[in-house]
Amino acid sequence: MTRAERWVFHASNVLVAGTGGVYAWMLYALEPADEYALVNHELQPTFQHLHVWFAPLLVLMAGVLWRAHVAPQLRSERRARRRSGLALLALLLPMVLSGYSIQVVSEQAWRDTWVGVHVVSSVLWCVAMLVHLVARARAPRTVDTRSIVAQPEVSAS
């Protein structure tokens, strides 16, 4: 992965997790000031909309990550961080599909089901991502051959 791809992937994770976390806190932990209010906080719709707007960026970056990182790692013999990487891979589909399903289902029982799947898979995604990143930070550094630019040979004449 290039440095820019890595940066956008991590930024999209922070944006989606942050807006989703704040939205969930407002939805489940706060009480409305007015008993007739439709929302628990005046910014609740804003955070929901931001979450829904940032999520496609994370999905796009997951595709970029697949090409640049996941597929090559699956083909390699290296086992470092494989468990946390596979956990992320397994959590991506239920997290994304449940997020989109919440937006389109109309029956309350299905909506509640998809919300539960989305919250659980998203929290587990965040935990697995942190484990994956901490393991990376603790791993001994190796030289990234993609960042080495061939230098022209200088003749001694």
Side-chain angles (χ1 to χ4, degrees):
M1 277 183 89
T2 67
R3 182 173 284 142
E5 289 169 340
R6 189 176 297 121
W7 187 90
V8 175
F9 176 72
H10 292 310
S12 65
N13 260 299
V14 169
L15 289 169
V16 174
T19 56
V22 171
Y23 172 68
W25 170 71
M26 289 177 177
L27 185 63
Y28 298 116
L30 298 182
E31 294 290 328
D34 177 14
E35 65 180 295
Y36 299 109
L38 296 175
V39 295
N40 296 343
H41 190 279
E42 62 190 28
L43 291 177
Q44 184 177 324
T46 301
F47 276 90
Q48 180 187 25
H49 297 149
L50 288 172
H51 183 69
V52 170
W53 275 102
F54 289 138
L57 178 61
L58 180 59
V59 174
L60 171 71
M61 291 313 298
V64 171
L65 185 72
W66 176 269
R67 175 195 51 81
H69 178 70
V70 176
Q73 290 297 327
L74 288 173
R75 287 190 299 265
S76 80
E77 296 296 321
R78 286 183 276 158
R79 299 286 181 224
R81 301 177 317 163
R82 176 119 351 172
R83 279 186 277 176
S84 58
L86 289 174
L88 287 165
L89 188 58
L91 289 165
L92 182 64
L93 192 61
M95 181 177 68
V96 171
L97 289 179
S98 62
Y100 284 104
S101 296
I102 291 167
Q103 304 301 314
V104 298
V105 297
S106 57
E107 191 174 319
Q108 190 61 42
W110 276 111
R111 184 173 172 76
D112 293 342
T113 300
W114 288 122
V115 166
V117 170
H118 190 65
V119 169
V120 169
S121 61
S122 298
V123 168
L124 291 175
W125 167 272
C126 291
V127 170
M129 181 58 68
L130 287 173
V131 168
H132 200 66
L133 292 175
V134 167
R136 179 178 188 263
R138 289 184 166 184
R141 293 283 178 221
T142 59
V143 176
D144 184 3
T145 57
R146 291 175 292 175
S147 64
I148 298 174
V149 179
Q151 299 294 324
E153 291 185 25
V154 178
S155 69
S157 49

